Amino acid sequence: MDRYFNPLGLSDSAKEHQISFPVDFVQALTVATSLQEVLDTVSQWIYQLFDAQRVSITLKDDADYLKIYSISGDKAIPLDFRVPIANTFVGRVFTNKTVLICDDLTTSADLDCIMLAQSGMNTCMNAPLLYGDICLGTLNVAHQQSNYYTDLHALELQCLANWISLNISLRLQLKELEYLASTDHLTGAANRRVFTQKIQQAIAVFHEQGQAFYFALMDIDHFKMLNDQFGHTAGDYVLQRIVAITETLMTSPGKFFRIGGEEFAIIFLEQTGYDALQFFNDIREAIAKASMEYDDVQLSVSVSIGFTAMSPLDEAPESLLRRADKALYQAKLAGRNRVVMFNSTQV
């Protein structure tokens, strides 16, 4: 028979009870640099604090599944197993936002309880990771002895879950803020802020390690005319499609950024001038051939690209930008929908 506990009412049964954590546990959480490191730290310490045979932490993956992010102890339910929210013990904890204890896993019909029982576990206790009215996931412990966990255990686990939930939510918010600060909101491409960081890094690595690269500016041809004729929503659609097409062609050494209205930048590492020219032409051709239909109208879209090689004389991004911009101007002057590499005769 399962035992249910309302997380908000647990303290009523133990008003005078105090919970203390080892200093090393608190310190380990303080210095954790990633969400994964936080979850691993929590599972390792709870494994010790609750004398458990297994500890796991799940977070919501999508509408139907929870994902196991960390395990300590028994691997009866492995990390790569996506836990269904329906017909599982942790799923009920997640959905109902309720602390649950199963005193005898051999009597349960829940999928995860069956898997634990088959590995020799006989009891489990799960607490929801609550942040306000939102359940982020579950904190789960299991033991080989049936009827092992008490009401006080439930209180302590939920208190831990509440504390960890705050840590998780803050890190998720920071991750979201970092994403918003580094990403163009319309297209999802890396923005000018990230471009400035990456081009400076590439220049520094070139001077320190000799890692060559090519730099390109890409501009949508007649973009103002497209906006004037079809409206800015059509222009937004074209920007999104061009980013999607280009990013599918980006190889691991390549980096792609939206740095202005219809202007993009590309850093292409460790290749010859011929390889760079071929790569940029592949992008240009893919965009020119792409089907872009907006509001039942087939749009004809092309881009021009100007690029240059990194030089030992380049100490800052401005010189690369000037040369690539001159090459881009030559591409437009020659009729657009083409790629031009900078050479010293261009003015």
Side-chain angles (χ1 to χ4, degrees), residues 279-342:
F279 174 69
F280 296 134
N281 259 317
D282 287 344
I283 293 173
R284 180 195 62 78
E285 289 179 3
I287 292 170
K289 293 177 181 178
S291 174
M292 296 195 194
E293 186 175 308
Y294 180 81
D295 200 17
D296 296 326
V297 176
Q298 189 67 37
L299 303 177
S300 178
V301 179
S302 65
V303 297
S304 297
I305 299 175
F307 74 100
T308 185
M310 174 65 187
S311 162
L313 299 177
D314 294 316
E315 297 291 342
E318 287 73 21
S319 55
L320 286 162
L321 282 160
R322 282 195 298 270
R323 295 202 304 274
D325 192 52
K326 288 179 180 180
L328 177 61
Y329 175 77
Q330 291 298 322
K332 289 186 174 291
L333 197 64
R336 295 181 171 82
N337 191 23
R338 64 194 63 220
V339 178
V340 171
M341 181 176 181
F342 175 85

Side-chain angles (χ1 to χ4, degrees), residues 142-337:
H143 199 275
Q144 291 175 343
Q145 181 180 324
S146 59
N147 298 287
Y148 183 77
Y149 294 116
T150 65
D151 293 6
L152 193 56
H153 283 133
L155 170 65
E156 292 176 341
L157 188 67
Q158 187 59 57
C159 287
L160 265 170
N162 293 340
W163 182 40
I164 300 309
S165 296
L166 179 61
N167 196 305
I168 292 172
S169 61
L170 289 174
R171 288 178 182 273
L172 290 174
Q173 289 174 35
L174 286 173
K175 188 175 180 181
E176 177 67 14
L177 288 173
E178 289 171 1
Y179 174 81
L180 293 173
S182 63
T183 307
D184 173 57
H185 73 280
L186 175 65
T187 64
N191 62 17
R192 192 178 190 98
R193 174 177 173 269
V194 179
F195 161 71
T196 300
Q197 296 171 349
K198 295 300 183 182
I199 190 68
Q200 290 173 341
Q201 289 174 8
I203 292 171
V205 171
F206 172 82
H207 287 295
E208 293 170 5
Q209 303 175 18
Q211 184 180 68
F213 67 91
Y214 291 83
F215 172 69
L217 289 175
M218 182 174 83
D219 192 85
I220 303 174
D221 297 327
H222 301 299
F223 188 68
K224 184 179 183 302
M225 187 184 301
L226 184 148
N227 273 329
D228 291 343
Q229 184 174 356
F230 299 103
H232 287 282
T233 53
D236 290 348
Y237 164 76
V238 168
L239 288 166
Q240 291 166 345
R241 288 281 289 123
I242 283 178
V243 168
I245 292 166
T246 304
E247 289 191 336
T248 60
L249 296 173
M250 295 303 295
T251 57
S252 55
K255 297 179 177 64
F256 180 61
F257 316 86
R258 184 186 180 197
I259 60 172
E262 70 268 30
E263 192 170 48
F264 302 87
I266 303 172
I267 299 172
F268 192 61
L269 304 176
E270 300 176 340
Q271 304 293 325
T272 66
Y274 174 80
D275 290 330
L277 178 62
Q278 188 173 39
F279 174 69
F280 296 134
N281 259 317
D282 287 344
I283 293 173
R284 180 195 62 78
E285 289 179 3
I287 292 170
K289 293 177 181 178
S291 174
M292 296 195 194
E293 186 175 308
Y294 180 81
D295 200 17
D296 296 326
V297 176
Q298 189 67 37
L299 303 177
S300 178
V301 179
S302 65
V303 297
S304 297
I305 299 175
F307 74 100
T308 185
M310 174 65 187
S311 162
L313 299 177
D314 294 316
E315 297 291 342
E318 287 73 21
S319 55
L320 286 162
L321 282 160
R322 282 195 298 270
R323 295 202 304 274
D325 192 52
K326 288 179 180 180
L328 177 61
Y329 175 77
Q330 291 298 322
K332 289 186 174 291
L333 197 64
R336 295 181 171 82
N337 191 23

